[in-house]
Protein backbone atom coordinates (compact mmCIF):
# COMPACT_ATOMS: atom_id res chain seq x y z
CA UNK A 1 0.00 0.00 0.00
CA UNK A 2 1.21 3.50 -0.78
CA UNK A 3 -0.20 7.04 -0.39
CA UNK A 4 -2.75 8.10 -3.01
CA UNK A 5 -0.62 10.06 -5.50
CA UNK A 6 -3.37 12.49 -6.49
CA UNK A 7 -3.83 13.87 -2.97
CA UNK A 8 -2.15 17.17 -2.12
CA UNK A 9 0.60 17.08 0.49
CA UNK A 10 1.26 19.57 3.29
CA UNK A 11 3.71 19.68 6.18
CA UNK A 12 2.28 19.21 9.67
CA UNK A 13 2.99 21.54 12.56
CA UNK A 14 2.84 18.81 15.23
CA UNK A 15 2.19 15.30 13.88
CA UNK A 16 1.75 13.73 17.32
CA UNK A 17 -1.43 15.51 18.46
CA UNK A 18 -4.81 13.79 18.07
CA UNK A 19 -6.16 16.64 15.92
CA UNK A 20 -3.21 17.57 13.70
CA UNK A 21 -2.62 21.04 12.31
CA UNK A 22 -0.69 22.17 9.26
CA UNK A 23 2.23 24.58 9.54
CA UNK A 24 0.91 28.18 9.46
CA UNK A 25 2.19 28.91 5.95
CA UNK A 26 0.73 25.60 4.76
CA UNK A 27 -2.64 26.56 6.26
CA UNK A 28 -2.64 29.81 4.32
CA UNK A 29 -1.62 28.14 1.09
CA UNK A 30 -4.16 25.31 1.40
CA UNK A 31 -7.12 27.53 2.27
CA UNK A 32 -6.31 30.75 0.44
CA UNK A 33 -4.55 29.56 -2.73
CA UNK A 34 -5.57 25.96 -3.33
CA UNK A 35 -9.10 26.50 -1.99
CA UNK A 36 -9.22 23.27 0.01
CA UNK A 37 -12.78 22.63 1.14
CA UNK A 38 -14.69 20.71 3.79
CA UNK A 39 -14.66 16.99 3.03
CA UNK A 40 -11.44 17.09 1.00
CA UNK A 41 -8.83 14.44 1.70
CA UNK A 42 -5.18 15.53 1.98
CA UNK A 43 -1.87 14.05 3.14
CA UNK A 44 0.15 15.45 6.04
CA UNK A 45 3.93 15.08 6.08
CA UNK A 46 5.89 14.98 9.33
CA UNK A 47 9.34 15.17 7.70
CA UNK A 48 10.40 11.93 9.38
CA UNK A 49 9.06 9.49 6.82
CA UNK A 50 5.43 9.58 7.90
CA UNK A 51 2.52 10.28 5.54
CA UNK A 52 -0.68 10.99 7.48
CA UNK A 53 -4.04 10.60 5.67
CA UNK A 54 -6.30 13.49 6.75
CA UNK A 55 -9.85 14.71 6.16
CA UNK A 56 -10.79 18.40 6.19
CA UNK A 57 -13.64 18.75 8.67
CA UNK A 58 -14.09 22.50 8.41
CA UNK A 59 -12.52 25.62 6.93
CA UNK A 60 -13.02 28.80 8.94
CA UNK A 61 -11.21 32.10 8.40
CA UNK A 62 -8.44 30.43 6.47
CA UNK A 63 -7.84 27.74 9.10
CA UNK A 64 -8.35 24.04 8.43
CA UNK A 65 -9.82 21.73 11.06
CA UNK A 66 -8.48 18.25 10.30
CA UNK A 67 -9.27 14.70 11.33
CA UNK A 68 -7.22 11.58 10.81
CA UNK A 69 -8.44 9.46 7.91
CA UNK A 70 -6.43 6.25 8.07
CA UNK A 71 -3.26 4.69 9.35
CA UNK A 72 0.07 6.46 8.97
CA UNK A 73 2.29 5.15 6.17
CA UNK A 74 6.06 5.31 6.57
CA UNK A 75 8.85 5.52 4.04
CA UNK A 76 11.93 3.75 5.49
CA UNK A 77 14.68 6.15 6.51
CA UNK A 78 17.53 6.47 3.96
CA UNK A 79 20.22 3.94 4.76
CA UNK A 80 17.99 1.61 6.78
CA UNK A 81 16.78 -1.85 5.68
CA UNK A 82 14.06 -1.56 3.04
CA UNK A 83 14.79 2.08 2.17
CA UNK A 84 14.79 3.15 -1.48
CA UNK A 85 18.24 4.78 -1.14
CA UNK A 86 21.29 4.55 1.11
CA UNK A 87 22.22 7.56 3.20
CA UNK A 88 23.77 10.06 0.79
CA UNK A 89 25.02 13.40 2.12
CA UNK A 90 26.59 16.45 0.48
CA UNK A 91 29.19 18.81 1.94
CA UNK A 92 29.72 21.93 -0.17
CA UNK A 93 29.72 25.74 -0.03
CA UNK A 94 26.41 27.42 -0.79
CA UNK A 95 26.34 29.21 -4.15
CA UNK A 96 25.30 32.84 -4.23
CA UNK A 97 21.73 34.12 -4.28
CA UNK A 98 18.77 31.99 -5.31
CA UNK A 99 21.11 29.33 -6.67
CA UNK A 100 21.43 27.97 -3.11
CA UNK A 101 17.70 27.36 -2.74
CA UNK A 102 17.53 25.87 -6.23
CA UNK A 103 20.39 23.52 -5.36
CA UNK A 104 18.72 22.32 -2.13
CA UNK A 105 15.48 21.83 -4.07
CA UNK A 106 17.18 19.57 -6.62
CA UNK A 107 19.22 17.66 -4.04
CA UNK A 108 16.08 16.99 -1.99
CA UNK A 109 14.29 15.62 -5.05
CA UNK A 110 17.28 13.38 -5.78
CA UNK A 111 17.17 11.92 -2.27
CA UNK A 112 19.97 13.34 -0.11
CA UNK A 113 19.67 12.59 3.60
CA UNK A 114 21.63 15.64 4.72
CA UNK A 115 23.54 18.72 3.53
CA UNK A 116 26.52 20.29 5.28
CA UNK A 117 27.44 23.86 4.23
CA UNK A 118 31.17 24.49 4.00
CA UNK A 119 33.02 27.68 4.85
CA UNK A 120 36.12 27.78 2.65
CA UNK A 121 38.94 30.24 2.08
CA UNK A 122 37.65 31.01 -1.41
CA UNK A 123 33.92 31.12 -0.70
CA UNK A 124 32.03 33.67 -2.74
CA UNK A 125 29.21 35.87 -1.47
CA UNK A 126 28.70 37.91 1.68
CA UNK A 127 28.37 36.97 5.35
CA UNK A 128 24.65 37.65 5.13
CA UNK A 129 24.42 34.76 2.66
CA UNK A 130 25.63 32.19 5.21
CA UNK A 131 23.54 29.08 5.75
CA UNK A 132 22.53 30.25 9.21
CA UNK A 133 21.22 33.57 7.87
CA UNK A 134 19.34 31.82 5.06
CA UNK A 135 18.07 28.90 7.14
CA UNK A 136 14.35 29.44 6.64
CA UNK A 137 14.67 29.92 2.88
CA UNK A 138 16.75 26.74 2.59
CA UNK A 139 14.28 24.74 4.67
CA UNK A 140 11.37 26.10 2.66
CA UNK A 141 13.06 24.93 -0.53
CA UNK A 142 13.51 21.45 0.96
CA UNK A 143 9.89 21.25 2.08
CA UNK A 144 8.56 22.34 -1.31
CA UNK A 145 10.79 19.80 -3.04
CA UNK A 146 9.53 17.03 -0.73
CA UNK A 147 5.93 17.82 -1.63
CA UNK A 148 6.65 18.06 -5.35
CA UNK A 149 8.66 14.82 -5.49
CA UNK A 150 6.38 12.88 -3.09
CA UNK A 151 9.23 12.39 -0.71
CA UNK A 152 8.57 11.84 3.00
CA UNK A 153 11.98 12.47 4.60
CA UNK A 154 13.06 16.09 4.99
CA UNK A 155 16.85 16.36 4.60
CA UNK A 156 18.83 17.49 7.60
CA UNK A 157 20.89 20.64 7.21
CA UNK A 158 23.98 20.45 9.41
CA UNK A 159 25.73 23.48 10.92
CA UNK A 160 28.37 25.09 8.73
CA UNK A 161 31.81 23.45 8.96
CA UNK A 162 35.31 24.12 7.65
CA UNK A 163 37.06 21.56 5.42
CA UNK A 164 39.58 20.79 8.18
CA UNK A 165 36.72 19.60 10.43
CA UNK A 166 35.38 17.04 7.97
CA UNK A 167 37.90 14.30 8.79
CA UNK A 168 36.47 13.89 12.30
CA UNK A 169 32.87 14.67 11.33
CA UNK A 170 32.86 12.05 8.56
CA UNK A 171 35.03 9.39 10.21
CA UNK A 172 32.30 6.74 9.86
CA UNK A 173 31.40 7.59 6.26
CA UNK A 174 32.75 6.81 2.79
CA UNK A 175 33.67 10.16 1.26
CA UNK A 176 34.42 11.27 -2.29
CA UNK A 177 35.97 14.57 -3.35
CA UNK A 178 34.77 15.93 -6.69
CA UNK A 179 37.82 16.78 -8.82
CA UNK A 180 37.78 17.04 -12.65
CA UNK A 181 41.45 15.99 -12.69
CA UNK A 182 40.93 12.81 -10.65
CA UNK A 183 42.24 9.54 -12.16
CA UNK A 184 38.92 7.75 -11.69
CA UNK A 185 35.27 8.63 -12.26
CA UNK A 186 32.53 8.43 -9.66
CA UNK A 187 31.20 5.30 -11.36
CA UNK A 188 34.65 3.68 -11.31
CA UNK A 189 35.01 4.49 -7.61
CA UNK A 190 32.73 1.56 -6.89
CA UNK A 191 29.84 2.84 -4.81
CA UNK A 192 27.94 -0.04 -3.30
CA UNK A 193 24.80 -0.46 -1.26
CA UNK A 194 25.88 -0.66 2.38
CA UNK A 195 25.05 0.65 5.84
CA UNK A 196 27.80 3.27 5.55
CA UNK A 197 26.90 6.86 4.74
CA UNK A 198 28.24 8.15 1.41
CA UNK A 199 29.34 11.80 1.45
CA UNK A 200 29.96 13.89 -1.67
CA UNK A 201 32.40 16.76 -1.01
CA UNK A 202 32.66 19.70 -3.41
CA UNK A 203 34.70 22.88 -3.19
CA UNK A 204 33.93 26.52 -3.99
CA UNK A 205 34.07 27.71 -7.58
CA UNK A 206 37.59 29.02 -6.91
CA UNK A 207 38.59 25.59 -5.61
CA UNK A 208 39.92 24.48 -2.23
CA UNK A 209 43.25 26.02 -1.26
CA UNK A 210 46.30 23.82 -0.64
CA UNK A 211 45.79 23.57 3.11
CA UNK A 212 42.16 22.58 2.67
CA UNK A 213 43.06 19.96 0.09
CA UNK A 214 45.61 18.41 2.46
CA UNK A 215 42.93 18.16 5.16
CA UNK A 216 40.65 16.30 2.73
CA UNK A 217 43.12 13.57 1.80
CA UNK A 218 40.83 11.00 3.45
CA UNK A 219 38.28 11.42 0.63
CA UNK A 220 38.65 9.55 -2.66
CA UNK A 221 39.11 12.00 -5.60
CA UNK A 222 36.57 11.30 -8.35
CA UNK A 223 35.70 13.00 -11.63
CA UNK A 224 32.30 13.55 -13.20
CA UNK A 225 33.70 14.52 -16.59
CA UNK A 226 36.40 16.64 -18.21
CA UNK A 227 34.96 20.08 -17.36
CA UNK A 228 34.96 22.32 -14.30
CA UNK A 229 31.35 22.54 -13.10
CA UNK A 230 29.42 25.02 -11.03
CA UNK A 231 28.87 23.89 -7.43
CA UNK A 232 25.21 23.03 -7.92
CA UNK A 233 25.80 21.24 -11.23
CA UNK A 234 28.58 19.12 -9.72
CA UNK A 235 26.77 17.97 -6.58
CA UNK A 236 23.48 17.38 -8.37
CA UNK A 237 25.19 15.27 -11.04
CA UNK A 238 27.06 13.29 -8.37
CA UNK A 239 23.96 12.56 -6.30
CA UNK A 240 21.97 11.64 -9.41
CA UNK A 241 24.72 9.19 -10.40
CA UNK A 242 24.75 7.58 -6.94
CA UNK A 243 20.96 7.44 -6.72
CA UNK A 244 20.68 5.77 -10.12
CA UNK A 245 23.29 3.19 -9.18
CA UNK A 246 22.08 2.46 -5.64
CA UNK A 247 18.29 2.85 -5.88
CA UNK A 248 16.36 -0.23 -4.74
CA UNK A 249 13.16 -0.39 -6.86
CA UNK A 250 11.83 -3.16 -4.64
CA UNK A 251 11.41 -0.99 -1.54
CA UNK A 252 7.99 -0.87 0.13
CA UNK A 253 5.98 1.42 2.38
CA UNK A 254 5.37 0.33 5.98
CA UNK A 255 2.37 1.09 8.18
CA UNK A 256 2.68 2.65 11.61
CA UNK A 257 2.08 -0.77 13.15
CA UNK A 258 4.99 -2.21 11.14
CA UNK A 259 7.40 0.56 12.10
CA UNK A 260 10.12 -1.18 14.16
CA UNK A 261 11.25 1.98 15.94
CA UNK A 262 10.13 2.73 19.53
CA UNK A 263 7.29 5.21 19.67
CA UNK A 264 9.52 7.69 21.53
CA UNK A 265 11.79 7.95 18.47
CA UNK A 266 9.04 9.64 16.48
CA UNK A 267 8.96 12.46 19.05
CA UNK A 268 12.60 13.35 18.67
CA UNK A 269 13.71 16.81 17.58
CA UNK A 270 12.99 17.54 13.91
CA UNK A 271 15.71 16.19 11.60
CA UNK A 272 16.51 19.56 10.06
CA UNK A 273 18.61 21.88 12.22
CA UNK A 274 20.97 24.76 11.80
Amino acid sequence: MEPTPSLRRFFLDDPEVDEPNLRPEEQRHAAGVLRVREGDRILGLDGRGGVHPLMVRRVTRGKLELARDGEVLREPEPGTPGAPLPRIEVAAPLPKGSRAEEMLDCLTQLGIAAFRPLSCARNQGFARESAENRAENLLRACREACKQSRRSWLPKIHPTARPAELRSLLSQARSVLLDPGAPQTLLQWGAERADTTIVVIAGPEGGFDEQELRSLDFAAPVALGPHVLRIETAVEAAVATLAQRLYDPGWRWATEAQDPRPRSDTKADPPTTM
Side-chain angles (χ1 to χ4, degrees):
M1 180 179 180
E2 64 181 72
T4 304
S6 60
L7 297 182
R8 291 192 172 104
R9 298 175 179 230
F10 303 92
F11 271 88
L12 296 167
D13 193 29
D14 183 354
E16 303 303 327
V17 297
D18 292 334
E19 297 184 0
N21 293 312
L22 303 183
R23 290 176 56 88
E25 69 274 16
E26 298 280 63
Q27 292 264 13
R28 293 190 292 271
H29 185 65
V33 179
L34 299 179
R35 304 293 184 183
V36 171
R37 294 290 180 255
E38 179 179 335
D40 286 353
R41 296 174 62 229
I42 62 174
L43 298 174
L45 305 179
D46 59 25
R48 299 190 290 270
V51 178
H52 302 243
L54 304 171
M55 176 74 74
V56 180
R57 295 195 304 187
R58 186 181 304 172
V59 182
T60 55
R61 297 181 180 179
K63 180 177 175 60
L64 307 183
E65 293 184 14
L66 303 171
R68 297 192 178 275
D69 190 41
E71 61 184 347
V72 179
L73 297 175
R74 294 207 169 270
E75 176 186 330
E77 184 175 0
T80 63
L85 288 172
R87 186 171 182 86
I88 302 172
E89 300 189 5
V90 169
L94 287 173
K96 293 187 295 184
S98 62
R99 290 165 54 199
E101 287 79 11
E102 293 167 359
M103 181 179 75
L104 265 295
D105 181 301
C106 288
L107 292 176
T108 300
Q109 293 179 56
L110 290 168
I112 64 163
F115 178 81
R116 189 182 303 275
L118 293 183
S119 176
C120 304
R122 296 171 180 165
N123 272 25
Q124 296 181 347
F126 303 97
R128 65 175 179 270
E129 291 191 302
S130 69
E132 285 70 22
N133 288 337
R134 302 162 73 178
E136 185 49 45
N137 287 342
L138 298 176
L139 295 177
R140 185 183 303 114
C142 292
R143 285 193 289 265
E144 291 302 315
C146 280
K147 293 189 293 183
Q148 183 276 327
S149 62
R150 300 176 187 168
R151 179 180 173 178
S152 306
W153 280 95
L154 189 65
K156 179 173 183 176
I157 301 181
H158 293 295
T160 299
R162 294 188 178 278
E165 299 174 289
L166 293 183
R167 183 186 298 274
S168 60
L169 290 171
L170 306 179
S171 61
Q172 303 301 313
R174 294 186 69 203
S175 300
V176 294
L177 176 64
L178 301 185
D179 176 3
Q184 64 177 343
T185 67
L186 180 56
L187 285 175
Q188 291 170 334
W189 171 66
E192 58 186 23
R193 188 80 184 226
D195 295 337
T196 306
T197 298
I198 298 174
V199 182
V200 175
I201 303 172
E205 292 180 2
F208 291 115
D209 67 16
E210 290 301 319
Q211 183 175 354
E212 291 169 339
L213 282 174
R214 286 194 295 271
S215 73
L216 296 171
D217 61 3
F218 65 91
V222 297
L224 296 172
H227 305 127
V228 176
L229 307 176
R230 290 184 183 272
I231 297 170
E232 61 269 36
T233 306
V235 296
E236 290 162 19
V239 173
T241 298
L242 291 171
Q244 172 65 22
R245 179 162 186 162
L246 302 174
Y247 167 55
D248 177 8
W251 78 277
R252 294 291 181 267
W253 289 88
T255 64
E256 187 83 335
Q258 296 169 323
D259 188 353
R261 296 172 303 166
R263 183 64 177 174
S264 59
D265 283 357
T266 64
K267 296 184 179 181
D269 291 336
T272 304
T273 58
M274 295 297 298

